[in-house]
Amino acid sequence: MNAEHRPDLAVSKVAAAIGEPARARMLYCLLDGHARTSTELGIVAEVSPSTASAHLARLKEERLVSVVAQGKHRYYRLDGENVSAALEALMVVAGRSTEIFVPTTPSGLRFARACYDHIAGSFGVSLHDRLNELKWLVSGSDGTGYDLSPAGAQGLAPLGIDAAALRSLRRRFAYACIDWSERRPHIGGALGAALLTCALQRNWLVKDLDSRALRVTRAGQREFHIRFGLRA
Amino acid sequence: MNAEHRPDLAVSKVAAAIGEPARARMLYCLLDGHARTSTELGIVAEVSPSTASAHLARLKEERLVSVVAQGKHRYYRLDGENVSAALEALMVVAGRSTEIFVPTTPSGLRFARACYDHIAGSFGVSLHDRLNELKWLVSGSDGTGYDLSPAGAQGLAPLGIDAAALRSLRRRFAYACIDWSERRPHIGGALGAALLTCALQRNWLVKDLDSRALRVTRAGQREFHIRFGLRA
DNA sequence: TTCATACTTTGACGCTTAACGAATTATGCA
DNA sequence: TGCATAATTCGTTAAGCGTCAAAGTATGAA
């Protein structure tokens, strides 16, 4: 009837939402503050994509998670500090200290991974920062995007990245793509795609099978260091 | 088996235990710190005695309640402050979405109420703030808790509150207990309990029947003002 | 001892809900 | 435009769980 007037009832619905193993796995995976997609959380919870979707819908309904759509990905994260506080309080009751918990995201997926078609993860963020430091990347005319400085165009030319050609594409040249695991920007758009393509072609990065994780090869470590002053 | 290595699993069982309306009603009824029998809790939860017994068995298994047998009565109570903390944290999560809930709270319950065994509500928060202002309450050695300064010990001695005696208890001396309705700290621990006991004994505060609400008496208004400079 | 009370356990019933695959929608890429 | 991927919705199945009445256990009183 009017559940709003029954605090205990309202709480029981929230607790029931947490009190299902698959959903609990999702929530405690998100406790590290990173946002993850439905499929990622499905893998963590060891359920099928459809089941994961149903669980996330319920968690969203109970306002335990919030969702941000970025392109065709939907990123789920805990909805506020209150939720983490409640999850931690429950952990105390369950008799497990908070330190036992280790975030279950595969480390490879956090270090470097493909976001659509460009390089994300902490490595992608480092690359973004470094190109800014070098002033190869400058603010674009529209304010939100990026542009390549003359020095940048010159620096990337040896890699077969033709700034003029990229600019002629209908696609957006370059922009700050927010990384939901690092919460910091990396390079998206045509330039970002060209960087990833180039790195893959030259075997500086290799894709892990059946996953978005990227691995930096030995050659990649050397080349990224020489050409960008970037050290992994 | 290997539940120790799965914090999420352990938590989901606890949350599931809370996430059943009848059990939630029992738990939130026990939040006032009183112990109750199985039949009483069955009436509160609106289930038959046999069902109540089954629910309580489960709550006991998850260590959410503890039971003491006295003659043929068995008294159930919340198993520690961790449990009340978790229940209140869940209340915050559940209450945030339904803003209706807060106004629905009896105003007496928001102004002053008992949190487990100490004074919460806006009055409890005021008292906490005032004792800090007076520098009677100082940060404890462990960083999270509070300690009583010499001035504080001297100020509370006339009320029959013996700081040394409280310190000798196994219980935590004093700490900032977060209040779900105010979302600000009030005084928990042995000192908080002593303050409530003292105020009740001297009739500065009276308990409303069958509820956690506290009412400040006329004498209480005068005394809190005189002794702490606190005005209601 | 016998009875009465307080509570728990047992067993059967019915409802809720998690699980999956298949089909559908939405977005991005060529 | 058509193809591929991400994610959701739908329909069905199966398991789990809450529910109660009745039988069982324990405590206290006559």
Side-chain angles (χ1 to χ4, degrees):
Chain A
M1 210 177 298
N2 47 1
E4 338 280 330
H5 296 276
R6 302 293 307 260
D8 43 30
L9 240 185
V11 169
S12 76
K13 291 180 72 177
V14 172
I18 304 172
E20 202 281 327
R23 286 195 293 262
R25 279 193 289 271
M26 292 177 169
L27 289 171
Y28 280 85
C29 172
L30 290 173
L31 200 55
D32 61 3
H34 294 169
R36 292 183 179 77
T37 64
S38 167
T39 33
E40 281 174 333
L41 290 167
I43 293 167
V44 169
E46 296 173 12
V47 291
S48 73
S50 58
T51 305
S53 180
H55 282 314
L56 287 166
R58 180 154 177 194
L59 291 176
K60 188 155 62 80
E61 192 187 330
E62 297 297 338
R63 306 215 185 256
L64 286 164
V65 301
S66 59
V67 59
V68 180
Q70 197 178 38
K72 65 180 165 184
H73 295 280
R74 296 169 80 84
Y75 289 94
Y76 290 89
R77 64 193 324 179
L78 296 185
D79 191 355
E81 299 278 328
N82 291 336
V83 177
S84 349
L87 292 175
E88 292 183 6
L90 283 172
M91 216 156 28
V92 174
V93 173
R96 323 282 184 233
S97 76
T98 55
E99 57 171 328
I100 299 178
F101 176 76
V102 226
T104 48
T105 310
S107 59
L109 207 57
R110 240 177 315 161
F111 176 59
R113 60 169 210 278
C115 168
Y116 294 122
D117 60 355
H118 48 270
I119 307 166
S122 67
F123 186 75
V125 171
S126 298
L127 184 60
H128 165 272
D129 291 350
R130 183 62 188 149
L131 292 190
N132 265 302
E133 257 177 48
L134 292 170
K135 298 203 194 308
W136 288 10
L137 215 51
V138 295
S139 285
S141 46
D142 64 349
T144 72
Y146 284 132
D147 205 340
L148 213 51
S149 68
Q154 202 176 343
L156 294 180
L159 304 181
I161 295 179
D162 182 349
L166 291 179
R167 252 185 274 271
S168 73
L169 296 177
R170 184 170 310 177
R171 185 174 179 186
R172 198 163 172 199
F173 180 68
Y175 66 96
C177 181
I178 296 295
D179 193 301
W180 285 99
S181 73
E182 298 299 319
R183 302 194 194 169
R184 296 195 41 215
H186 57 258
I187 305 167
L191 179 60
L195 283 167
L196 176 57
T197 305
C198 163
L200 289 173
Q201 276 178 353
R202 290 166 189 250
N203 244 43
W204 295 353
L205 297 179
V206 291
K207 275 192 177 181
D208 279 13
L209 285 177
D210 206 36
S211 123
R212 288 154 56 209
L214 295 170
R215 196 163 48 77
V216 184
T217 63
R218 193 168 294 270
Q221 283 179 29
R222 188 179 60 240
E223 295 294 331
F224 277 113
H225 180 45
I226 293 172
R227 295 172 189 264
F228 304 111
L230 193 69
R231 58 182 75 242
Chain B
M1 212 174 297
N2 51 357
E4 3 246 320
H5 300 283
R6 305 297 305 263
D8 42 32
L9 217 282
V11 169
S12 77
K13 291 180 72 177
V14 172
I18 304 171
E20 204 280 327
R23 287 195 293 261
R25 280 194 288 270
M26 292 176 169
L27 290 171
Y28 279 86
C29 172
L30 290 173
L31 201 55
D32 63 358
H34 290 159
R36 292 184 176 78
T37 64
S38 166
T39 28
E40 281 174 329
L41 290 168
I43 293 166
V44 168
E46 297 173 11
V47 291
S48 72
S50 58
T51 305
S53 178
H55 284 314
L56 287 166
R58 180 153 176 194
L59 291 177
K60 188 156 63 81
E61 192 186 331
E62 298 297 337
R63 304 205 184 269
L64 286 164
V65 301
S66 59
V67 58
V68 280
Q70 265 181 24
K72 61 181 167 184
H73 294 280
R74 303 180 127 232
Y75 289 96
Y76 291 88
R77 66 190 333 164
L78 295 186
D79 191 355
E81 300 219 10
N82 290 337
V83 177
S84 2
L87 292 176
E88 301 215 350
L90 284 171
M91 246 175 151
V92 173
V93 173
R96 178 199 46 188
S97 55
T98 65
E99 301 291 350
I100 309 167
F101 164 68
V102 176
T104 315
T105 308
S107 59
L109 205 57
R110 239 179 317 159
F111 177 59
R113 66 195 169 78
C115 167
Y116 209 53
D117 62 354
H118 48 267
I119 306 166
S122 67
F123 185 77
V125 171
S126 298
L127 184 60
H128 165 273
D129 291 350
R130 184 62 188 150
L131 292 189
N132 265 303
E133 259 176 47
L134 291 170
K135 297 205 193 309
W136 287 11
L137 214 51
V138 295
S139 283
S141 46
D142 62 350
T144 72
Y146 284 132
D147 206 340
L148 212 51
S149 67
Q154 201 175 341
L156 293 180
L159 304 182
I161 295 179
D162 182 351
L166 290 180
R167 252 185 275 272
S168 72
L169 296 177
R170 185 168 311 177
R171 184 174 180 186
R172 198 161 171 200
F173 179 68
Y175 67 96
C177 180
I178 297 297
D179 192 297
W180 59 263
S181 70
E182 299 297 319
R183 303 198 190 170
R184 296 194 41 215
H186 56 258
I187 305 166
L191 178 61
L195 283 167
L196 176 56
T197 305
C198 162
L200 289 173
Q201 276 178 354
R202 290 166 188 251
N203 244 42
W204 296 352
L205 297 178
V206 291
K207 276 194 177 181
D208 280 12
L209 283 178
D210 205 36
S211 122
R212 289 154 58 207
L214 295 170
R215 196 162 50 75
V216 184
T217 63
R218 192 167 294 272
Q221 283 178 30
R222 188 180 60 242
E223 295 294 333
F224 276 114
H225 180 45
I226 294 174
R227 294 171 190 263
F228 304 112
L230 194 69
R231 58 183 74 246

